[in-house]
């Protein structure tokens, strides 16, 4: 998972810290969740909002990539902790000094190339 959007409440510390960006802001986050969950009953659907999942049994090993300066960082970390509590093997990597969207900047960032290599190595190691 690459900087996963896991909680539609947008109330984490990282959402507060990066409410105005960089790259994405809280207004855009609210708009995205409202677009994604257009039906009110979907707001509490654990298939749509991963932090609502109570048990991650049968979930394969998971790689979670986060950016230090990203409003999604804290919910990604919470998702990783929830998965670990269910016994899922999780590797979480927080890329320091990176912002949301850095994975689209491979032509200028060495961190993007490193992240792609880490994802590939994790995938190869966990394919069965």
């Amino acid at each position: 998972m690459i900087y996963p959007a896991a909680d539609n409440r947008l109330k984490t510390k990282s959402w507060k810290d990066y409410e105005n960006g960089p790259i994405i802001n809280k207004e855009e986050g609210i708009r995205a969740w409202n677009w994604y969950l257009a039906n009110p009953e979907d707001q509490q659907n654990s298939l749509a909002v991963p932090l609502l999942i109570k048990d991650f049994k049968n979930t394969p090993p998971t790689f979670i990539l986060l950016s230090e300066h990203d409003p999604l960082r804290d919910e990604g970390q919470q998702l990783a902790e929830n998965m670990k509590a269910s016994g899922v093997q999780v590797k979480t990597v927080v890329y320091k000094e990176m912002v949301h969207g850095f994975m689209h900047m491979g032509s200028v960032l060495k961190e993007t190339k490193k992240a792609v290599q880490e994802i590939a190595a994790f995938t190869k190691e966990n394919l069965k």
Side-chain angles (χ1 to χ4, degrees):
M1 300 177 155
I2 299 174
Y3 23 82
D7 186 1
N8 59 339
R9 295 172 297 169
L10 288 74
K11 296 196 182 285
T12 63
K13 183 178 181 316
S14 60
W15 268 111
K16 183 176 180 177
D17 291 346
Y18 300 108
E19 180 175 354
N20 297 310
I23 310 299
I24 61 172
N25 61 47
K26 193 167 186 174
E27 180 181 323
E28 291 166 339
I30 292 167
R31 193 170 35 240
W33 276 106
N34 287 336
W35 171 78
Y36 176 58
L37 303 176
N39 296 320
E41 63 271 11
D42 291 336
Q43 298 287 327
Q44 297 302 312
N45 183 338
S46 63
L47 295 176
V49 184
L51 282 186
L52 296 177
I53 297 171
K54 301 291 184 213
D55 188 352
F56 286 90
K57 66 181 176 200
N58 302 319
T59 300
T62 304
F63 184 95
I64 298 180
L65 180 146
L66 304 169
S67 305
E68 180 180 20
H69 302 293
D70 186 347
L72 299 174
R73 183 195 66 226
D74 292 347
E75 62 196 70
Q77 289 174 328
Q78 185 62 57
L79 180 61
E81 292 305 314
N82 293 359
M83 293 174 86
K84 288 176 186 176
S86 289
V88 177
Q89 175 197 334
V90 179
K91 179 175 183 178
T92 307
V93 179
V94 179
Y95 273 79
K96 299 291 184 193
E97 300 301 319
M98 293 296 107
V99 296
H100 183 87
F102 88 93
M103 289 298 290
H104 295 284
M105 303 174 198
S107 62
V108 295
L109 292 175
K110 65 182 184 295
E111 290 85 356
T112 305
K113 293 172 186 170
K114 181 181 179 205
V116 169
Q117 291 171 343
E118 283 193 271
I119 293 167
F122 182 87
T123 302
K124 183 177 179 181
E125 181 181 308
N126 289 284
L127 280 177
K128 294 181 182 177

